[in-house]
Amino acid sequence: MRVFAAGDRLASGAATGAELEALRAAMVRQGFYGTGVVGAAASVSPYLSYDSNINGGVTQDRFTVSGLVFEAAPESRAVAGVVVGATGGAELRYAWAEGRVIQAGVRGLGAVAPTEQLGYAAVEGRLCSLNHLSGWTFADFCLEGVAQDRELGRSEAWAGTLGLSTLFETPVGAHDLTVEVASFDGQPQGTLSLETVFPALVADVGLTAGVSVPNETALTARVSGGVRWLWGDAPATARLWYEERDGGLFLGRPRRDRTAGVSLGRSIGQGINVEIRWSRTDSTADLYDDDSVSASVTFGGFSR
């Protein structure tokens, strides 16, 4: 997208030497300047966050079903607090033909809450085949998995995605239109997304639909949007989303969850980024109602 958006400056000869070097580096990473390893990176950085559910517990102390009030056991309730830890990741890109790149990456997070004497860990892996088809059209196939371990449980998820994207330009800006089909833990999903580079900001919007899964509460619809811009002299991001999950039963009654959320992030210099997130879930099963706020600080740390 960066190369495409800079097309006019390149064509007019207005691009600076630094811009030309950055664009050439981007094209090398995309496999247009020979084969072999075209990118490798690793990083480790400190992590600081306020988490409203460190242990993965239930967020409601009590809930009502058919007029009967149930109270959650104290040891199963969500615990909030400040967590500290570290994040790390590594990525390798290998070009095996012109415009054909294999990308492998892994990321991890480990954190503890000293006051509450709790902790959690998460790891994510991703393997992709990135392919230039013709012109400004690309096809990408990815396999990914994520695992998370908290005091009250462990979760795993696997996905395979196939995306077709095309870049084009209109009088208002440069655009990246992507159609994606995916399987998330065996559930078919489809996504249509559009990213646009305007003169002063970058905006994106996405629509996802999922096939209902018998006896399971699964994602059926999601809409999301975001903007990235310079706030003062630092990059900032804002995102909002809404999703619905349907299917499955809770104590014999159909369950349906609706979740809305918003986040705001900004760099404050020296590689330090701050983000605040809020989300609210309204469920037909009171136990799964949730209203949470979290804040995190990530640091530039060590990279090579």
Side-chain angles (χ1 to χ4, degrees), residues 85-103:
T87 64
E91 181 185 273
L92 179 69
R93 296 172 69 97
Y94 182 87
W96 59 275
E98 185 177 78
R100 302 280 198 271
V101 174
I102 300 297
Q103 176 182 281

Side-chain angles (χ1 to χ4, degrees), residues 110-231:
V112 296
T115 303
E116 292 75 18
Q117 296 186 336
L118 294 169
Y120 56 77
V123 63
E124 175 184 353
R126 184 178 175 93
L127 178 65
C128 295
S129 173
L130 313 178
N131 305 278
H132 171 246
L133 298 183
S134 65
W136 293 101
T137 301
F138 303 83
D140 301 333
F141 175 70
C142 294
L143 296 173
E144 55 189 302
V146 59
Q148 188 175 91
D149 189 17
R150 293 183 182 252
E151 182 75 13
L152 296 180
R154 176 184 174 88
S155 63
E156 296 179 353
W158 301 90
T161 62
L162 175 62
L164 181 67
S165 62
T166 184
L167 308 180
F168 62 98
E169 192 171 16
T170 68
V172 300
H175 313 275
D176 181 353
L177 179 65
T178 300
V179 177
E180 183 179 271
V181 292
S183 174
F184 285 88
D185 285 336
Q187 183 208 20
Q189 294 183 7
T191 298
L192 177 66
S193 62
L194 176 67
E195 182 182 57
T196 299
V197 178
F198 296 102
L201 58 83
V202 179
D204 66 87
V205 62
L207 301 171
T208 299
V211 177
S212 296
V213 179
N215 304 315
E216 184 177 326
T217 305
L219 179 73
T220 54
R222 177 182 172 91
V223 57
S224 63
V227 292
R228 306 192 300 275
W229 76 102
L230 284 178
W231 184 349

Side-chain angles (χ1 to χ4, degrees), residues 197-290:
V197 178
F198 296 102
L201 58 83
V202 179
D204 66 87
V205 62
L207 301 171
T208 299
V211 177
S212 296
V213 179
N215 304 315
E216 184 177 326
T217 305
L219 179 73
T220 54
R222 177 182 172 91
V223 57
S224 63
V227 292
R228 306 192 300 275
W229 76 102
L230 284 178
W231 184 349
D233 59 353
T237 62
R239 299 202 60 79
L240 55 85
W241 63 91
Y242 171 82
E243 67 179 38
E244 294 187 356
R245 295 179 179 270
D246 207 348
L249 300 174
F250 178 72
L251 297 180
R253 293 175 175 270
R255 176 183 165 188
R256 185 181 188 186
D257 298 350
R258 297 180 177 89
T259 301
V262 62
S263 68
L264 179 64
R266 185 179 186 270
S267 171
I268 59 175
Q270 305 298 318
I272 303 174
N273 296 285
V274 177
E275 184 183 59
I276 300 173
R277 295 168 58 95
W278 169 85
S279 66
R280 180 173 185 176
T281 298
D282 292 316
S283 176
T284 54
D286 291 349
L287 180 64
Y288 297 99
D289 287 343
D290 186 25

